Amino acid sequence: MADGSDTTLTAEQTPGQTPQGLVAGIKSFAAGHGGAKAVIEYVGKRGARIVLVGEDGVWGDQFADDTVVARQACAKAGVTVENAWERELMDQMRPSNDLWRSMARRTMAR
């Protein structure tokens, strides 16, 4: 880096450098729920959130360093990435009773 440069050095992500733990987590979720689809959401400096929706309606999430890594991980895990939250995918989701209770507590606390 040249003197006086205002750029920051970062570890560059090269293609194919997807964390194996992330791929294994996605594969495990898909296998446990009869397959899965994913929606990738950019969450700023934190990276990208991979929301997984299983064929049985159960959903979960994983985090990746960025959207490129998230897409690579889903591809390696064999999970289809949806472009957006389509109605059919949202209708498939079945939130657990615990999630409904936690959301109700947040609403009641306001």
Side-chain angles (χ1 to χ4, degrees):
M1 187 157 87
D3 290 335
S5 175
D6 61 351
T7 59
T8 304
L9 286 175
T10 59
E12 291 192 22
Q13 192 81 21
T14 57
Q17 193 178 4
T18 308
Q20 291 303 311
L22 179 60
V23 174
I26 295 170
K27 280 183 180 179
S28 174
F29 181 88
H33 299 284
K37 292 182 182 175
V39 176
I40 297 172
E41 300 173 336
Y42 174 70
V43 289
K45 290 182 180 180
R46 290 189 63 199
R49 178 183 185 202
I50 306 167
V51 181
L52 300 163
V53 181
E55 292 298 321
D56 59 357
V58 175
W59 60 280
D61 59 1
Q62 299 275 334
F63 278 88
D65 292 338
D66 60 32
T67 56
V68 172
V69 172
R71 288 189 180 282
Q72 289 174 349
C74 288
K76 286 184 178 182
V79 172
T80 303
V81 176
E82 298 290 326
N83 290 326
W85 285 105
E86 299 293 334
R87 181 180 180 148
E88 293 81 19
L89 186 59
M90 292 182 72
D91 286 345
Q92 184 177 337
M93 294 177 75
R94 298 287 175 246
S96 68
N97 288 335
D98 292 336
L99 180 60
W100 283 117
R101 279 192 288 275
S102 79
M103 288 189 295
R105 281 193 297 270
R106 283 185 227 150
T107 302
M108 300 295 276
R110 290 184 187 180

